[in-house]
Amino acid sequence: MKRFLAASAACLAMASAAHAQALAQEAATDTPRPMDQPRDWSATLIQDATGLHDIMIDSHPGVHDPLNPEFRARLDQGLATALERAKTTTDRGGWWWALRAYVASFEDGHVQISMTQRDFGFPTRWPGFLTVYRGADQVVANREEADAAAPPLGARLIDCDGVDAAPLAEQRIGQFRGRWFLEAIQTRFGDWMFLNAENPWQTEMRSCRFEANGATRTYALNWRATPDDLSERRTRLMQSVRPDFALKHFDDGGFWISTPTFNGDPSSENYAELTALIADMKTKQEALRAAPYVVLDVRGNGGGSSHWSQLMAQVLWGDAWMTAHPEPAIEAVEWRASEGNIAEISAFLDKLHATNGQPELIAWAEDAINGMKAAKAAGQVYWRSTNDEAPSDAAPPPPAPQLMAGRVYLLTDSSCGSACLDAVDLWKTAGAVQVGRETSADTVYMEIREPVLPSGLAQIAVPMKVYRGRARGNNEPQRPQYIIAGDMSDDAVLLASIRRLQPR
């Protein structure tokens, strides 16, 4: 039985990780960096936007995708917009945010950009307060205590400079983040409404109207440098957490298993931690299956390799149960046959050999490399790897026993994307109950690599393959059966909420 593993070395930099890194890079810093040195930023933007376009043309599976005929036009339009902005670009902010808008225009969490200079950050400005989303509304959630001119905590944003809150957020945030229609993206980046990090393509609003306690008031905005603790403020607002790998056993017999990443790089610490976690689960398999509940915690997990979630499912539910309850099969995978993509998987294979990697991963990598090489030699755009699962008219598998005595809860937050979404697909099909918050979402373009742009100042994430026939559609999130409205970073609150869901 073939499984389409998402397991290349490029999975080290999944969408949410790239978002988090860029977010950190855009925070204030006062230390001079090489990015501060004189440079022709207009020429740099032209160079990098053109390079980005060329890399996508060479390696992205969407360029020739018959099911996505608009992809090439979007790629070309993004370049045209960036080149137009280059005419008036005079600084690093113009370069960075023009490229970020280009990347965001693909509306794909697997197409991302980050700086190669990891410690650089843009000086930021704010008007003394931050808003976040509470449902469909933006409300004031953090402010300078001593600023009497700022709107009060909990005040709801109505409009700024005559532009309603919703289209204003699309213009100020969505344009540079992409996929603004997703709750997860609004949750993670909504506080950028009243932040500016040297972005010349957006203006600083002069006045905004807020509603509080039934009364509407207009506030003039006084933009200035953000406080030193901006990062801590934003972390608290997002209620984000990336727990350690853990398998915890509670006094009531329940278990809590945390997997903050599914990193597929065999040379990484995460790989070793995941290997140890799976081994620990196998040792405690009998107790896990007899437990009143098991929590699978994927908070902060932006993806990696779907291999890990498959192994975890086998430990909990067993092969017979998984065979009797298969997730909807992917019909095929088509790899874009390019030299860059072949080199990426070849490097991953070298790491597997060097670290005595798992045989199934080695076989998967060899299959992909040989297939892409053969396709390229034949002048073909794709190498197609078909699914050899049982045909739809095959006899159903025999009934299988339910080995899990208690409920399995799947705890998700807005970070869950890529291989984390694959895990949600798999575990929910097996019977897990999703709780927490709505996940992020992805397209059918998968398996990223990270080429550096011509300037050497930034690198992009580029998918190498496309799924055919995936049941979950493009940019379709997984929604929890039970929403937990509390603080998603508070383990005690989450555990209490889950225990209340237990059958009486």
Side-chain angles (χ1 to χ4, degrees), residues 49-66:
T50 304
L52 188 159
H53 181 272
D54 292 347
I55 291 169
M56 300 285 276
I57 290 291
D58 177 72
S59 293
H60 195 291
V63 174
H64 299 280
D65 189 352

Side-chain angles (χ1 to χ4, degrees), residues 73-138:
R74 178 171 293 187
L75 176 63
D76 293 342
Q77 180 57 55
L79 175 61
T81 300
L83 295 180
E84 182 64 28
R85 283 178 162 164
K87 295 177 181 178
T88 55
T89 293
T90 59
D91 57 23
R92 63 195 181 184
W95 162 81
W96 172 249
W97 291 103
L99 286 176
R100 184 171 262 297
Y102 189 2
V103 167
S105 71
F106 292 101
E107 302 288 5
D108 185 348
H110 281 127
V111 180
Q112 286 298 325
I113 187 168
S114 59
M115 293 182 193
T116 54
Q117 187 177 322
R118 305 300 188 185
D119 59 350
F120 177 78
F122 289 101
T124 52
R125 287 163 55 85
W126 75 332
F129 62 91
L130 298 174
T131 59
V132 296
Y133 274 92
R134 295 288 183 260
D137 295 328
Q138 281 240 339

Side-chain angles (χ1 to χ4, degrees), residues 380-402:
Q380 298 170 347
V381 173
Y382 299 114
W383 168 62
R384 185 177 179 89
S385 175
T386 57
N387 198 335
D388 59 8
E389 301 243 357
S392 57
D393 58 352
Q402 170 57 276

Side-chain angles (χ1 to χ4, degrees), residues 451-472:
V452 176
L453 294 179
S455 71
L457 298 175
Q459 61 191 50
I460 57 172
V462 180
M464 297 183 284
K465 71 184 184 185
V466 55
Y467 282 154
R468 299 301 189 193
R470 188 181 73 178
R472 178 167 43 82

